[in-house]
Coordinates of all heavy atoms in Angstrom, one line a residue:
F7 N 103.4 107.3 113.3 CA 103.3 108.7 113.1 C 102.7 109.2 111.8 O 103.1 108.7 110.8 CB 104.8 109.3 113.3 CG 105.5 109.2 114.6 CD1 106.4 108.1 114.7 CD2 105.2 109.9 115.7 CE1 107.0 107.8 116.0 CE2 105.7 109.6 117.0 CZ 106.7 108.7 117.0
A8 N 101.8 110.2 111.9 CA 101.3 110.9 110.8 C 101.9 112.3 110.8 O 101.3 113.1 111.5 CB 99.8 110.8 110.7
L9 N 102.9 112.5 110.0 CA 103.6 113.8 110.1 C 103.0 114.7 109.0 O 102.9 114.4 107.8 CB 105.1 113.7 109.8 CG 105.8 112.6 110.7 CD1 107.3 112.4 110.2 CD2 105.7 112.9 112.1
H10 N 102.4 115.8 109.5 CA 101.6 116.7 108.7 C 102.4 118.0 108.3 O 103.0 118.6 109.3 CB 100.3 117.1 109.3 CG 99.3 115.9 109.4 ND1 98.1 115.9 108.6 CD2 99.2 114.9 110.2 CE1 97.4 114.9 109.0 NE2 98.1 114.3 110.0
F11 N 102.4 118.4 107.2 CA 102.9 119.7 106.8 C 102.0 120.3 105.7 O 102.0 119.7 104.7 CB 104.4 119.6 106.4 CG 104.9 121.0 106.0 CD1 105.2 121.9 107.0 CD2 105.0 121.4 104.7 CE1 105.7 123.3 106.8 CE2 105.5 122.7 104.4 CZ 105.8 123.6 105.5
E12 N 101.4 121.3 105.9 CA 100.4 121.9 105.1 C 99.3 120.9 104.7 O 98.7 120.2 105.6 CB 101.0 122.6 103.9 CG 101.9 123.8 104.4 CD 102.7 124.4 103.2 OE1 102.6 123.9 102.0 OE2 103.2 125.6 103.4
D13 N 99.1 120.5 103.4 CA 98.2 119.5 103.1 C 98.8 118.2 102.7 O 98.1 117.4 102.1 CB 97.3 120.1 101.8 CG 98.3 120.3 100.5 OD1 99.5 120.3 100.7 OD2 97.7 120.3 99.5
E14 N 100.0 117.9 103.2 CA 100.6 116.7 102.8 C 100.9 115.9 104.2 O 101.1 116.5 105.2 CB 101.9 116.8 102.0 CG 101.6 117.2 100.6 CD 102.8 117.2 99.7 OE1 103.9 117.4 100.2 OE2 102.6 116.8 98.5
V15 N 101.1 114.7 104.1 CA 101.3 113.8 105.2 C 102.5 112.8 104.9 O 102.5 112.2 103.7 CB 100.1 112.9 105.7 CG1 100.5 112.0 106.8 CG2 99.0 113.8 106.0
Q16 N 103.3 112.6 105.7 CA 104.4 111.5 105.6 C 104.2 110.6 106.8 O 104.2 111.0 108.0 CB 105.8 112.1 105.7 CG 106.9 111.1 105.5 CD 108.2 111.7 105.7 OE1 108.6 112.3 106.8 NE2 109.1 111.6 104.7
M17 N 104.0 109.3 106.5 CA 103.9 108.3 107.5 C 105.3 107.9 108.0 O 106.2 107.8 107.1 CB 103.1 107.1 107.0 CG 101.8 107.4 106.5 SD 100.7 108.3 107.7 CE 100.8 107.2 109.2
A18 N 105.5 107.6 109.3 CA 106.7 107.3 109.8 C 106.5 106.2 111.0 O 105.5 106.3 111.7 CB 107.5 108.5 110.3
I19 N 107.5 105.3 111.1 CA 107.3 104.3 112.1 C 108.7 103.9 112.7 O 109.6 103.9 111.8 CB 106.5 103.1 111.5 CG1 106.0 102.1 112.6 CG2 107.4 102.4 110.5 CD1 104.9 101.2 112.0
Y20 N 108.7 103.6 113.9 CA 110.1 103.2 114.5 C 110.2 101.7 114.7 O 109.5 101.2 115.6 CB 110.4 104.0 115.8 CG 111.8 103.9 116.2 CD1 112.7 104.8 115.9 CD2 112.2 102.8 117.1 CE1 114.0 104.7 116.3 CE2 113.5 102.8 117.5 CZ 114.5 103.7 117.1 OH 115.8 103.6 117.5
H21 N 111.1 101.1 114.1 CA 111.3 99.6 114.2 C 112.8 99.4 114.0 O 113.3 99.3 112.9 CB 110.5 98.9 113.3 CG 110.5 97.4 113.6 ND1 109.6 96.8 114.5 CD2 111.3 96.4 113.1 CE1 109.9 95.5 114.6 NE2 110.9 95.2 113.7
T22 N 113.6 99.4 115.1 CA 115.0 99.4 115.1 C 115.7 100.7 114.6 O 116.8 101.0 114.9 CB 115.7 98.2 114.3 OG1 115.6 98.4 112.9 CG2 115.1 96.9 114.8
K23 N 115.0 101.5 113.8 CA 115.3 102.8 113.3 C 114.0 103.6 112.8 O 113.0 102.9 112.8 CB 116.2 102.6 112.2 CG 115.8 101.9 111.0 CD 116.7 101.7 109.8 CE 116.5 102.9 109.0 NZ 117.2 102.9 107.7
L24 N 114.2 104.7 112.6 CA 113.0 105.5 112.1 C 112.8 105.3 110.7 O 113.8 105.4 109.8 CB 113.1 107.0 112.3 CG 111.8 107.8 112.0 CD1 110.7 107.4 112.9 CD2 112.2 109.3 112.0
I25 N 111.7 104.7 110.1 CA 111.4 104.4 108.7 C 110.3 105.4 108.3 O 109.2 105.5 108.9 CB 110.9 103.0 108.7 CG1 112.1 102.0 109.1 CG2 110.5 102.7 107.2 CD1 111.7 100.6 109.3
S26 N 110.6 106.0 107.2 CA 109.6 107.0 106.6 C 109.2 106.7 105.3 O 109.9 106.2 104.6 CB 110.3 108.5 106.7 OG 110.7 108.8 108.0
G27 N 107.9 107.1 105.0 CA 107.4 106.9 103.7 C 107.6 108.2 102.9 O 108.3 109.2 103.4
S28 N 107.0 108.4 101.8 CA 107.1 109.5 101.0 C 105.9 110.6 101.3 O 104.9 110.1 101.9 CB 106.9 109.2 99.5 OG 105.8 108.4 99.2
W29 N 106.1 111.8 101.0 CA 105.0 112.8 101.3 C 103.9 112.6 100.4 O 104.1 112.3 99.1 CB 105.6 114.2 101.1 CG 106.5 114.6 102.2 CD1 107.8 114.6 102.2 CD2 106.1 115.1 103.6 NE1 108.3 115.0 103.5 CE2 107.2 115.4 104.2 CE3 104.8 115.4 104.1 CZ2 107.2 115.8 105.6 CZ3 104.8 115.9 105.4 CH2 106.0 116.1 106.1
T30 N 102.7 112.6 100.9 CA 101.4 112.3 100.1 C 100.4 113.2 100.4 O 100.3 113.7 101.6 CB 101.0 110.8 100.4 OG1 102.1 109.9 100.3 CG2 99.9 110.4 99.3
K31 N 99.5 113.5 99.5 CA 98.3 114.3 99.9 C 97.4 113.6 101.0 O 97.3 112.4 100.9 CB 97.4 114.6 98.6 CG 98.0 115.3 97.6 CD 98.2 116.8 98.1 CE 98.8 117.7 96.9 NZ 99.1 119.1 97.5
E32 N 97.0 114.3 101.9 CA 96.3 113.8 103.1 C 95.1 112.9 102.7 O 95.0 111.7 103.2 CB 95.9 114.9 104.0 CG 95.3 114.4 105.3 CD 95.0 115.5 106.3 OE1 95.4 116.7 106.0 OE2 94.5 115.2 107.4
D33 N 94.4 113.3 101.8 CA 93.2 112.6 101.4 C 93.4 111.2 100.5 O 92.6 110.5 100.2 CB 92.2 113.4 100.7 CG 92.8 114.2 99.4 OD1 93.9 113.8 99.1 OD2 92.0 114.9 98.8
A34 N 94.8 111.1 100.2 CA 95.2 109.9 99.3 C 95.7 108.7 100.1 O 95.9 107.7 99.6 CB 96.2 110.3 98.3
I35 N 95.8 108.9 101.4 CA 96.4 107.9 102.3 C 95.2 106.9 102.7 O 94.3 107.3 103.3 CB 97.1 108.4 103.6 CG1 98.3 109.2 103.0 CG2 97.5 107.3 104.4 CD1 99.2 109.8 104.2
E36 N 95.5 105.6 102.5 CA 94.5 104.6 102.9 C 95.3 103.4 103.4 O 95.8 102.6 102.8 CB 93.7 104.0 101.7 CG 92.6 105.1 101.3 CD 91.5 105.1 102.1 OE1 91.2 104.2 102.9 OE2 90.7 106.1 102.1
L37 N 95.6 103.5 104.8 CA 96.3 102.4 105.5 C 95.4 101.3 105.7 O 94.3 101.2 106.0 CB 96.8 102.9 106.8 CG 97.9 104.0 106.8 CD1 98.3 104.3 108.3 CD2 99.2 103.4 106.0
Q38 N 96.0 100.0 105.4 CA 95.4 98.8 105.6 C 96.0 98.1 106.8 O 97.2 98.0 107.0 CB 95.6 97.9 104.3 CG 95.0 98.5 103.1 CD 93.5 98.6 103.0 OE1 92.8 97.7 103.6 NE2 93.0 99.8 102.6
L39 N 95.1 97.5 107.6 CA 95.5 96.8 108.8 C 95.5 95.4 108.3 O 94.5 94.6 108.4 CB 94.6 97.0 110.1 CG 94.6 98.5 110.5 CD1 93.8 98.6 111.8 CD2 96.0 99.0 110.7
V40 N 96.7 94.7 108.1 CA 96.7 93.4 107.5 C 97.4 92.5 108.6 O 98.5 92.6 109.1 CB 97.6 93.3 106.2 CG1 97.8 91.9 105.7 CG2 97.1 94.2 105.3

C-alpha cells in the first residue's frame, strides 16, 4: 500500500499484521526490489 495524504506517503504492507512505515515526502521514496 502507498497511502497518500497531501504531499506525503506512508508505505504499508500486511504480513500477519499491518506493518507501516513513516510518513515521507512522495518524491523521496525509492523502493528497492531485492
Side-chain angles (χ1 to χ4, degrees):
F7 296 100
L9 309 175
H10 290 254
F11 181 74
E12 296 180 350
D13 64 340
E14 291 192 321
V15 177
Q16 182 186 54
M17 301 308 301
I19 197 164
Y20 191 92
H21 191 83
T22 70
K23 58 176 277 188
L24 188 68
I25 297 168
S26 305
S28 56
W29 286 99
T30 309
K31 293 294 182 182
E32 187 171 356
D33 57 5
I35 294 181
E36 287 286 337
L37 289 179
Q38 300 294 321
L39 302 181
V40 180

